[in-house]
Amino acid sequence: MRVVERNLHWVLVFFVISCSSNGDSGEQVQAPEETIDKAANQQAVGESSQELLEDNGFTSLYIEIYYVQGLRPSSETVEHFKGFLNDRLNKPDGINIELFEMDSPGQDVYSITDVRKIEDETRTAYNEGSTLKVFGLFLDGEYAENTESGSVLGVAYRNTSFVLFSETIREFSGQPLSPSTTVLESTVLDHEFGHLMGLVNAGTPLQSQHQDVEHGRHCTTEDCLMYWTAETGEGLVNMISGGTIPILDQACLDDLQAHGGK
């Protein structure tokens, strides 16, 4: 579950709206072009951490999740994720999650460039009014940066975007004595959204020294949701004890609460 931080360009998409005929001319008049400003949703991971956590400006959250056919997350996974978000985010007007099926992009391996392209071609929801909007992908195939010793299960790659490599997750959950698919999916979802919330020291300021600098934006506490061994399937399977989804330790909670969260 790696965090990818890159500068992104402003992107505008234009929609043409046809109006009824103008007077007796019989000609149709084209309304002024309406624009959707995507730039606010195409920033570096952590840039929207405070907007996610607090209720100033954005009082509700909408998450659209696209999953490849056959890889729909379970209702238990979705309910757990929504509970995790409600426990951490101040969104008095509610949190809504919607799922949409998509065809497989037809790749065995995906780079972050590939994932960004899929989002750009698929995403429909961008920040609007008092609603902050987030995009998620559940993909088949595997991550391009996997190694023989580590298989990445998810990546937070923009300030309001994350991807889970669901086929890889299911391969791990299918191993003997491994946690269930729901437990693994839920852990990866929570972990990646933890990065979007700015953990650890990725947009949400530290209240104590608990960043494992050697392993990037992760926590030094071994049983914390944001510990670095949750980076790969191999590490995560070993990290989860008794089929229990890891939780945030007090140091991470202190960071979030000081930055506008619960």
Side-chain angles (χ1 to χ4, degrees):
M1 302 118 187
R2 302 177 183 175
V3 180
V4 178
E5 301 184 11
R6 296 182 181 175
N7 294 326
L8 296 162
H9 301 290
W10 289 75
V11 181
L12 297 177
V13 61
F14 299 91
F15 294 90
V16 177
I17 303 175
S18 295
C19 298
S20 59
S21 60
N22 181 20
D24 296 329
S25 68
E27 297 180 359
Q28 289 199 333
V29 178
Q30 182 173 300
E33 291 180 334
E34 183 179 329
T35 63
I36 295 178
D37 184 359
K38 299 181 180 181
N41 296 97
Q42 295 182 334
Q43 301 176 31
V45 174
E47 288 294 319
S48 292
S49 57
Q50 194 161 35
E51 294 174 327
L52 284 164
L53 292 166
E54 65 182 15
D55 60 0
N56 292 329
F58 292 107
T59 57
S60 64
L61 176 67
Y62 173 79
I63 303 178
E64 61 171 354
I65 294 178
Y66 282 81
Y67 62 92
V68 169
Q69 186 177 19
L71 296 177
R72 181 186 177 98
S74 68
S75 57
E76 293 82 4
T77 295
V78 175
E79 285 305 308
H80 166 85
F81 186 43
K82 191 169 184 178
F84 173 80
L85 299 176
N86 277 310
D87 286 344
R88 304 277 73 87
L89 310 181
N90 284 298
K91 293 292 174 266
D93 292 330
I95 295 172
N96 185 30
I97 301 172
E98 285 195 270
L99 304 178
F100 304 92
E101 185 176 278
M102 62 181 284
D103 292 333
S104 170
Q107 296 180 218
D108 295 327
V109 178
Y110 298 93
S111 67
I112 282 299
T113 299
D114 295 329
V115 173
R116 290 179 188 273
K117 181 180 179 182
I118 294 168
E119 175 184 353
D120 293 342
E121 295 172 347
T122 306
R123 182 170 183 162
T124 65
Y126 296 88
N127 295 352
E128 182 179 11
S130 61
T131 302
L132 181 61
K133 300 188 179 182
V134 171
F135 176 83
L137 273 174
F138 281 60
L139 281 179
D140 52 358
E142 62 182 36
Y143 188 43
E145 296 185 26
N146 285 354
T147 66
E148 291 184 359
S149 59
S151 301
V152 175
L153 302 184
V155 181
Y157 61 94
R158 282 174 174 162
N159 60 319
T160 60
S161 307
F162 63 85
V163 58
L164 268 65
F165 297 98
S166 296
E167 190 171 12
T168 305
I169 290 174
R170 295 184 183 210
E171 289 173 0
F172 276 98
S173 66
Q175 296 176 3
L177 304 179
S178 290
S180 68
T181 298
T182 293
V183 169
L184 286 182
E185 276 185 340
S186 298
T187 302
V188 179
L189 269 174
D190 293 355
H191 182 96
E192 298 313 327
F193 208 90
H195 287 312
L196 296 189
M197 292 189 295
L199 297 173
V200 173
N201 199 23
T204 292
L206 296 173
Q207 299 304 302
S208 61
Q209 292 303 319
H210 66 104
Q211 181 186 359
D212 185 352
V213 177
E214 181 180 353
H215 296 102
R217 306 298 192 181
H218 292 102
C219 184
T220 55
T221 303
E222 292 187 4
D223 58 356
C224 176
L225 174 68
M226 302 308 295
Y227 191 60
W228 72 271
T229 54
E231 180 95 8
T232 64
E234 291 82 358
L236 186 56
V237 167
N238 292 329
M239 176 183 178
I240 294 175
S241 175
T244 302
I245 300 166
I247 61 175
L248 294 169
D249 75 337
Q250 190 59 51
C252 283
L253 292 176
D254 290 343
D255 292 351
L256 297 180
Q257 290 163 1
H259 201 48
K262 294 180 181 178

